[in-house]
Amino acid sequence: MATGGPLGPEIWLRGPVPPELAQPSVPSAPSATPRRHSFVGVHGGAGTTTLATVYGGHDGGRSWPGPAEPRSILLVARTHASGLDAVRHALELFRHGGAPPGLDLDGVVLVADAPGRLPRPLTQRIKMIESAIDVYRVPWVNAWRLGDLSGSRPRETEALARLTAVTP
């Protein structure tokens, strides 16, 4: 690498650099466009299709997003024991660089696996996950189970709605 020359975009581009690219640019104002997310299930039946429909975003199923899909991901799991174990495994995968490069892990969405309160051992597992990453909880919605996604979103999911920039 040559020294003494101007530093800037020319170090990333091959060939001559147009003058407008060689000049430092003024940062633009933040975009009003909401950040799009890919919902990625860490196990089958996690609820990625329902979440993508209700909150907007890409339904990744159980696959990492492709190059044309949103690179900001939300891992999705049910709140049963095997779902929470799958979340911990996926977080370890990210921590050790096992996920595809260029993905931004924005959080975990935990979808209730049954109505009512969680047993204490599951609540303790969720607290461990929350100590490592933002967790968004989605309560049991009986209408969703019946396929009716047209109603209002649960008020407990306001933080998730803000993250995905969905308005009521």
Side-chain angles (χ1 to χ4, degrees):
M1 180 166 109
T3 58
L7 297 176
E10 62 275 15
I11 65 172
W12 301 106
L13 300 174
R14 293 183 184 206
V17 177
E20 62 273 8
L21 290 180
Q23 300 301 321
S25 62
V26 176
S28 61
S31 171
T33 306
R35 185 172 189 176
R36 295 231 11 214
H37 289 87
S38 289
F39 290 96
V40 177
V42 296
H43 61 82
T48 60
T49 301
T50 299
L51 292 172
T53 301
V54 173
Y55 295 95
H58 172 71
D59 175 9
R62 293 194 59 204
S63 302
W64 298 120
E69 296 159 350
R71 307 298 282 169
S72 298
I73 67 168
L74 293 166
L75 297 177
V76 181
R78 294 287 177 168
T79 55
H80 48 61
S82 60
L84 298 176
D85 287 344
V87 168
R88 289 176 47 198
H89 175 72
L91 292 175
E92 284 297 310
L93 188 75
F94 261 91
R95 185 172 157 235
H96 295 292
L103 294 181
D104 292 327
L105 179 56
D106 285 347
V108 172
V109 181
L110 297 178
V111 181
D113 66 312
R117 294 176 52 99
L118 285 173
R120 180 174 297 220
L122 298 179
T123 301
Q124 290 171 336
R125 288 184 189 191
I126 291 172
K127 286 181 181 181
M128 287 177 54
I129 294 168
E130 289 173 331
S131 71
I133 192 163
D134 291 333
V135 173
Y136 301 90
R137 303 273 302 268
V138 178
W140 181 263
V141 181
N142 202 50
W144 292 359
R145 186 178 194 201
L146 299 171
D148 179 9
L149 306 180
S150 62
S152 61
R153 292 178 303 279
R155 71 178 181 280
E156 299 92 339
T157 65
E158 288 176 10
L160 178 61
R162 279 191 306 275
L163 177 70
T164 58
V166 172
T167 55

